[in-house]
Amino acid sequence: MSTPPLASGPEGRDALRPLLDTVLDALGEGLRLRGGPLPAGGPEAVSARVRDAVGDVLPDEGQQDALPLLVRALAEGSADPADPFCTAHLHCPPLAVAAAADLAASVLNPSMDSWDQAPAASELEALVTRALANEVYAKAFRGAGLYRYAAPPRGATGPHRPDALITTGGTESNQLALLLARETLGPGVRLVCGENAHHSLPRSAWLLGLPEPVIVPTPQGTLDPATLDKALHGPSVVAATAGTTDAGLIDPLPEIAALCTHRGARFHIDAAYGGGLLFSPRHRAKLTGIHSADTVTLDLHKLGWQPVAAGLLAVRSGSDLAALNHRADYLNADDDTEAGLPDLLGRSLRTTRRPDILKIAVTLKTLGRAGLAALVDQVCSTAQEFAALVERHPGFELHEPPTISTVLFRPADATDDAVAAVRRQLLTDGRAVLGRARAANRLWLKATLLNPTTRPAHLTALLHLVEGTTPR
C-alpha cells in the first residue's frame, strides 16, 4: 500500500486541491439533506443516521470514500449558525476568510510551544496579542462628540505593558485569570462574582483549590456595586461580566472598578461575549471601564466571527504572566533562551497548541476597524429590530431591549412549561434553534443574533414559526 499524501511539502498542494472540492461538495450535499437550521428527528434520529454513515469505525481495510461520507454526515447532522433560524447560543457563523486561514494553519501545523516549531507563527502571535491587548487597555476620553483612544506607542513592549494570551475560549481564559489572581494575592484569595457570571468562574475556583466563592445575587440581571461592597472581605478577586450568557447584559464596570480600587480587590472582566464591542465606535462606550481590569476574557469565536477556538486573556500588566514561566530543557533550555530563541512555554498552560492566531490576524488585516465595526453594528441593529418586532406583536412579550445582540421573548400568557415545549418542538422538527433563559422568575425564549446576513424578513418568519408552534 502506498503512503497517503501529506498536506504540506512539495506535493501537498496537488494532494489537497481535489480533496477540497470533495469537502465542499459534501458540505453542499449535507446542507441539502438537512434542509434547515438543524437536523430533524431529535437525538435518536440524528444518532441513527450518524451510525449508519460511519459503520465500522476502524475497518480492516481502508474506505476511499470516507471523506465525503463523513463530511456529508456531519453537515447533514449539524446545527448551522449561518442559518438565520439558528439563534440559540453564542455560536457564530465563521467568516470564509478566517476558515481559509484555519486551513493553512492545519496544513503547516506549527506547534506554539517552542520557536523551532513555529518561527513565524510565534512572531505573528506576539504582534497580534500585543495589538489586541492595547485595544482593551486603551484609555477613552470624550472629545468632539467622539470616543478617542490613547493607546500605548506602536511597538511598545516591556514587563508592565499590556499583553494577551491565546486560549481555547472563555473557560480557559477565566481559569487563567483566577490562576494569576491566586499567584498575585495568595492561595486564600476568594472569587466574588454575581449569579449572572458564567459557570466557568466558580468551577475554576474549585479546580484551583480556592476558597468557596461568594456568589452575589443579581435580581436585576447585573451586579449592584453596593451589594458587591458588602460581600468583599479579605483578599478578593471580583469578576464582572460584560455580556451575560443569558441576556447579554453588562455589569456597571466603572463603578465596580472604583470599588475594587477602594477595597484593594483584584478585578477581572469576563467579556467573552461583549468584548467584540471594542471594534465598534458606536458601541464601544458600553465597555467604558474595561481598561481598569487586571485581566479581561475575550472570545473572538463569538462576536468576532472566527472558527472555534479563538479566545484570549488580556492582562493589564505583562509582569503578571511571570507566574506561568516554566522550564523544559527540550523546549526552552536556558542557553537557547540566552542565545535569543524566544521562550513560548510561558504563553499557555498547554504545551502543544494550534496557531489559532493566524485566522485572527487574517481577519483583522482583511476587514480592518471599519469592516469589523460594520459587522458588530449590523448584529446589534438586527437585535434591536427583532426586539421592536416582538414588542409590536400582541401575541408576544419582550423581556427588555437588548444590550448587545441577545433578545429574550416569550409567547404572551404562556406557561413556562409551554415555552420549554415550543423550543423542544422546533428543535425536534429541525425548523429553528432557539435558546432558553430564566429571568424575572420566568422562562424565556432566547435569540442570540450573531449572523450579519439575517434580514427583517427572516425575523418576521422566525416569529411566525414560534407563533404557529405555541399551544393554544
Side-chain angles (χ1 to χ4, degrees), residues 231-254:
L232 292 177
H233 301 284
S236 302
V237 52
V238 172
T241 305
T244 60
T245 304
D246 277 351
L249 303 179
I250 298 175
D251 287 333
L253 305 181

Side-chain angles (χ1 to χ4, degrees), residues 98-110 354-355 358:
D102 220 21
L103 170 64
S106 294
V107 168
L108 294 169
N109 212 27
R354 299 182 77 249
L358 177 61

Side-chain angles (χ1 to χ4, degrees), residues 124-138 151-156 162-164 278-279 284 298 312 314 357 364 369:
L124 182 64
E125 184 174 276
L127 291 170
V128 176
T129 51
R130 282 199 296 268
L132 290 173
N134 287 342
E135 284 296 306
V136 172
Y137 288 104
R154 183 182 297 274
D163 202 350
L278 288 168
F279 299 123
R284 181 167 184 154
L298 302 172
L312 296 101
I357 198 64
L364 298 178
R369 293 180 185 276

Side-chain angles (χ1 to χ4, degrees), residues 77-93:
S78 289
D80 183 3
D83 190 294
F85 290 177
C86 188
T87 66
H89 301 286
L90 290 162
H91 182 196
C92 72

Side-chain angles (χ1 to χ4, degrees), residues 301-334:
H301 55 243
K302 292 183 172 66
L303 205 61
W305 298 278
Q306 298 299 293
V308 173
L312 296 101
L313 178 71
V315 296
R316 184 169 58 184
S317 175
S319 60
D320 283 0
L321 299 180
L324 302 180
N325 287 347
H326 187 70
R327 190 65 60 184
D329 195 62
Y330 76 107
L331 294 173
N332 60 348
D334 287 333

Side-chain angles (χ1 to χ4, degrees), residues 67-425:
L67 179 63
L69 186 70
L70 296 185
V71 171
R72 181 170 62 244
L74 185 66
E76 181 185 359
S78 289
D80 183 3
D83 190 294
F85 290 177
C86 188
T87 66
H89 301 286
L90 290 162
H91 182 196
C92 72
L95 296 169
V97 70
D102 220 21
L103 170 64
S106 294
V107 168
L108 294 169
N109 212 27
S111 181
M112 304 295 295
D113 52 315
S114 66
W115 184 87
D116 58 351
Q117 298 175 86
S122 61
E123 177 62 18
L124 182 64
E125 184 174 276
L127 291 170
V128 176
T129 51
R130 282 199 296 268
L132 290 173
N134 287 342
E135 284 296 306
V136 172
Y137 288 104
K139 214 169 182 180
F141 64 92
R142 188 176 291 279
L146 297 173
Y147 274 93
R148 297 181 182 177
Y149 306 94
R154 183 182 297 274
T157 60
H160 301 294
R161 306 302 297 179
D163 202 350
L165 302 177
I166 297 296
T167 71
T168 53
T171 295
E172 184 186 352
S173 294
N174 285 339
Q175 179 185 332
L176 282 171
L178 294 194
L179 173 64
L180 296 181
R182 187 189 73 183
E183 296 305 294
T184 302
L185 298 180
V189 64
R190 188 181 301 273
L191 167 67
V192 182
C193 63
E195 283 182 331
N196 62 345
H198 193 264
H199 62 83
S200 63
L201 282 160
R203 287 188 82 190
S204 294
W206 162 75
L207 182 65
L208 292 166
L210 300 182
E212 186 72 17
V214 175
I215 309 298
V216 179
T218 53
Q220 304 304 314
T222 56
L223 268 173
D224 172 55
T227 306
L228 176 62
D229 189 20
K230 296 175 183 177
L232 292 177
H233 301 284
S236 302
V237 52
V238 172
T241 305
T244 60
T245 304
D246 277 351
L249 303 179
I250 298 175
D251 287 333
L253 305 181
E255 292 86 351
I256 296 173
L259 175 61
C260 288
T261 299
H262 177 67
R263 296 294 299 271
R266 191 171 170 91
F267 187 25
H268 171 65
I269 297 176
D270 180 358
Y273 178 12
L277 299 177
L278 288 168
F279 299 123
S280 167
R282 184 183 303 175
H283 293 284
R284 181 167 184 154
K286 295 176 182 177
L287 298 180
T288 296
I290 196 171
H291 68 277
S292 301
D294 295 285
T295 49
V296 177
T297 287
L298 302 172
D299 261 11
L300 296 182
H301 55 243
K302 292 183 172 66
L303 205 61
W305 298 278
Q306 298 299 293
V308 173
L312 296 101
L313 178 71
V315 296
R316 184 169 58 184
S317 175
S319 60
D320 283 0
L321 299 180
L324 302 180
N325 287 347
H326 187 70
R327 190 65 60 184
D329 195 62
Y330 76 107
L331 294 173
N332 60 348
D334 287 333
D335 57 320
D336 278 347
T337 303
E338 291 169 3
L341 294 183
D343 178 1
L344 307 185
L345 202 53
R347 303 293 298 177
S348 177
L349 290 180
R350 293 174 285 147
T351 304
T352 302
R353 58 187 180 92
R354 299 182 77 249
D356 288 314
I357 198 64
L358 177 61
K359 61 196 173 193
I360 298 172
V362 167
T363 300
L364 298 178
K365 189 76 171 175
T366 301
L367 273 65
R369 293 180 185 276
L372 287 163
L375 290 177
V376 171
D377 293 349
Q378 177 61 50
V379 296
C380 290
S381 176
T382 299
Q384 295 289 342
E385 290 175 3
F386 188 52
L389 187 65
V390 169
E391 204 162 30
R392 290 194 302 267
H393 197 299
F396 287 93
E397 182 180 354
L398 177 71
H399 175 52
E400 286 182 352
T403 301
I404 306 177
S405 68
T406 298
V407 178
L408 300 186
F409 68 106
R410 54 181 283 141
D413 303 320
T415 65
D416 283 359
D417 287 345
V419 172
V422 167
R423 174 179 174 271
R424 287 192 293 269
Q425 188 61 56

